[in-house]
């Protein structure tokens, strides 16, 4: 669900510009927070980008135990009910494949079109080749549209809600435009599945409780080479003996060591860098306090941090976009699922065992053709991030330090910089006089 906004008079709207008054003013300090470490890597928008307009805190659905498969089916049916043609963004991974399988089932004779971007993964494999193989092996009656990331590009629809945080906005916009040309009434994706259904860290005890000792040992072996590894699993189990406050602080130190004393990147100019650093530290303190107040175990805290805060990205083009994993009915069922049930020891690879609940959404015959390892596209994203190496509007407005930006190489930072620059270009239509720095570094209108 897209965010809601509120003004000082208590009026609420999904369009913050309707609340910003006749002369809306961009809040550069709010935009700077996108580069603060929690928002940068957590991919969420902390504050409204307009002065005197606030974001309404998102409500987390109340957990409601029930069948994930039935909830997923209902979500897909609800999201495709009014579409004569159904589009699905397919990457070759499990999550989008599950969406495509259920979209075909829900179509009842309607046309289904799968859209995939032919990225090259870090092992040199083609995403489109994986999708073609899966469509053929599962005999899915869906048309396939393959987009070339170097050629198929378009400008995404500008949203007053704030900068887009998707990694390939121009390619996603091209897919949306192609979907519109082909008559799609909705464009589905697998967004949110990893965060909601992936097995969290420190879950050895949770798996043992739900599955038994041997499955728990297998889980511990599966996660030994990632994150905190076996030492983290042992520490997470021992931390259960600590009082709530020390347990939460120890969790944060083990899970997010770089965020224990977060510092905003050097590309932010002053006073925005100091403000973003101060906000990041306050945010971390609030998160630790919330974990302590809720009495969460390390596994529960990690599962919560993976899923929330959750940012809904506006449609990239003229077609409505949705993910069944983020539908309210599915969210409620997923949040009620015991953490130990996210893992299943009998599946044939660590990747599949830790994605067991997504595998269960697929037909049994799919297991033979599913990839045993996750595809990664870090090289492709690093290439895409080059667009953020120049951001003249951000530099001119005093938000970014031009010299520091020229030396920046972190793809995560550069992708957000590119998003900020694109958003400011659209905001100029409504706010042609952006905030400029005063002499000495203080901000002035």
């Amino acid at each position: 669900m897209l965010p809601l906004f509120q003004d000082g008079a208590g009026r609420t709207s999904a369009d913050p510009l309707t609340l910003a008054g006749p002369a809306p003013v961009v809040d550069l300090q709010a935009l700077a927070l996108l580069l603060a470490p929690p928002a940068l890597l957590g991919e969420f928008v902390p504050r409204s980008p307009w002065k005197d307009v606030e974001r309404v805190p998102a409500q987390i659905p109340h957990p409601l135990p029930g069948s994930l498969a039935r909830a997923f089916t209902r979500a897909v049916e609800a999201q495709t009910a009014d579409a004569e043609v159904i589009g699905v963004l397919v990457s070759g991974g499990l999550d989008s494949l599950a969406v495509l399988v259920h979209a075909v089932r829900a179509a009842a004779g309607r046309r289904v079109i799968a859209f995939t971007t032919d990225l090259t993964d870090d092992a040199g494999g083609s995403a489109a080749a994986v999708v073609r193989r899966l469509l053929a092996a599962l005999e899915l009656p869906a048309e396939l549209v393959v987009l070339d990331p170097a050629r198929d590009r378009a400008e995404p629809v500008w949203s007053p809600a704030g900068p887009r945080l998707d990694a390939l906005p121009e390619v996603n916009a091209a897919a949306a435009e192609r979907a519109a040309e082909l008559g799609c009434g909705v464009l589905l994706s697998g967004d949110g599945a990893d965060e909601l259904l992936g097995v969290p860290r420190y879950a050895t005890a949770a798996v043992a409780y739900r599955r038994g000792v041997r499955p728990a040992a297998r889980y511990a072996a599966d996660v030994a080479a990632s994150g905190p590894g076996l030492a983290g699993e042992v520490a997470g189990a021992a931390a259960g003996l600590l009082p709530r406050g020390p347990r939460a602080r120890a969790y944060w130190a083990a899970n997010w060591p770089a965020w224990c004393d977060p510092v905003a990147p050097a590309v932010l100019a002053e006073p925005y860098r100091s403000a973003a650093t101060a906000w990041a530290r306050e945010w971390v303190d609030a998160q630790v306090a919330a974990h302590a107040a809720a009495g969460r175990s390390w596994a529960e805290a990690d599962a919560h941090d993976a899923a929330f805060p959750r940012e809904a990205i506006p449609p990239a083009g003229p077609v409505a976009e949705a993910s069944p994993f983020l539908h309210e009915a599915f969210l409620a069922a997923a949040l009620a699922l015991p953490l130990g049930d996210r893992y299943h020891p009998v599946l044939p690879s660590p990747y599949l065992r830790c994605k067991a609940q997504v595998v269960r959404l697929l037909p049994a015959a799919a297991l033979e053709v599913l990839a045993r390892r996750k595809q990664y596209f870090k090289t492709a994203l690093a290439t895409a991030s080059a667009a953020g190496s120049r951001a003249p509007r951000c530099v001119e407005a005093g938000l970014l330090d031009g010299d520091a930006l020229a030396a920046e190489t972190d793809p995560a930072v550069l992708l957000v910089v590119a998003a900020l620059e694109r958003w400011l270009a659209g905001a100029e239509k409504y706010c042609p006089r952006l905030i400029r720095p005063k002499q000495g570094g203080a901000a002035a209108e």
Side-chain angles (χ1 to χ4, degrees):
M1 181 179 292
L2 295 177
L4 293 176
F5 298 85
Q6 190 173 62
D7 65 8
R11 295 182 302 159
T12 301
S13 174
D15 182 357
L17 281 175
T18 64
L19 308 173
V25 177
V26 170
D27 187 345
L28 288 184
Q29 185 165 305
L31 293 179
L33 299 185
L34 287 168
L35 286 164
L40 175 66
L41 298 180
E43 299 177 345
F44 65 94
V45 179
R47 290 213 307 246
S48 162
W50 304 100
K51 282 188 173 293
D52 301 320
V53 178
E54 297 181 354
R55 286 171 65 103
V56 177
Q59 296 297 311
I60 299 176
H62 183 72
L64 185 63
S67 165
L68 283 186
R70 284 196 294 271
F72 197 73
T73 296
R74 288 197 299 270
V76 173
E77 289 175 348
Q79 291 172 338
T80 60
D82 298 327
E84 294 184 6
V85 181
I86 302 168
V88 183
L89 294 170
V90 183
S91 65
L94 299 180
D95 308 332
S96 58
L97 178 62
V99 175
L100 180 62
V101 166
H102 283 258
V104 167
R105 291 176 183 171
R110 289 174 291 171
R111 188 179 176 197
V112 178
I113 306 174
F115 297 86
T116 191
T117 300
D118 194 15
L119 296 174
T120 300
D121 66 25
D122 294 345
S126 160
V130 172
V131 173
R132 287 191 183 97
R133 179 178 61 81
L134 291 171
L135 288 177
L138 298 179
E139 299 181 347
L140 293 174
E143 302 170 37
L144 179 61
V145 173
V146 178
L147 293 101
D148 181 343
R151 183 186 68 244
D152 296 314
R153 307 176 75 83
E155 188 61 26
V157 173
W158 183 83
S159 169
R164 298 182 59 84
L165 299 181
D166 46 344
L168 300 171
E170 292 172 325
V171 177
N172 293 336
E177 288 190 359
R178 188 76 178 112
E181 292 169 1
L182 294 171
C184 293
V186 69
L187 198 53
L188 301 181
S189 73
D191 288 351
D194 273 339
E195 295 83 352
L196 282 168
L197 297 180
V199 183
R201 298 168 175 171
Y202 319 115
T204 300
V207 173
Y209 180 75
R210 299 294 297 182
R211 304 288 190 187
V213 174
R214 287 186 178 180
R218 189 165 205 187
Y219 161 81
D222 284 345
V223 301
S226 64
L230 286 177
E233 294 298 313
V234 173
L241 302 175
L242 297 174
R244 290 184 174 195
R247 181 167 71 235
R249 288 191 292 274
Y251 156 74
W252 199 268
N255 209 47
W256 309 110
W259 291 5
C260 288
D261 187 24
V263 177
V267 295
L268 279 173
E270 293 293 357
Y272 303 112
R273 189 183 187 205
S274 294
T277 296
W279 172 84
R281 291 171 179 172
E282 292 171 2
W283 186 89
V284 166
D285 289 342
Q287 293 297 108
V288 173
H291 289 322
R296 295 183 181 118
S297 68
W298 282 22
E300 290 166 342
D302 188 51
H304 182 277
D305 288 346
F308 305 106
R310 179 71 199 172
E311 191 66 33
I313 299 176
V319 178
E321 298 181 18
S323 169
F325 292 102
L326 300 178
H327 186 274
E328 189 172 274
F330 187 82
L331 268 171
L335 292 175
L337 185 74
L339 296 183
D341 286 0
R342 296 187 184 185
Y343 181 83
H344 203 295
V346 302
L347 293 171
S349 74
Y351 170 54
L352 296 178
R353 291 193 284 272
C354 289
K355 296 277 289 186
Q357 290 297 335
V358 179
V359 174
R360 289 190 65 185
L361 296 174
L362 296 166
L367 189 58
E368 296 182 5
V369 297
L370 296 178
R372 298 299 192 254
R373 296 178 178 83
K374 183 179 178 65
Q375 281 184 296
Y376 290 96
F377 299 94
K378 292 180 180 179
T379 302
L381 293 180
T383 300
S385 73
S389 60
R390 289 190 68 260
R393 287 180 181 83
C394 292
V395 173
E396 182 187 353
L399 177 62
L400 300 184
D401 181 301
D403 293 336
L405 179 59
E408 183 60 63
T409 59
D410 186 340
V413 171
L414 294 176
L415 285 170
V416 172
V417 168
L420 290 168
E421 182 72 7
R422 177 177 286 109
W423 189 83
L424 284 179
E428 286 177 344
K429 176 181 177 181
Y430 305 94
C431 181
R433 188 167 59 89
L434 293 174
I435 299 173
R436 299 295 196 273
K438 281 182 181 176
Q439 185 176 3
E445 295 181 18

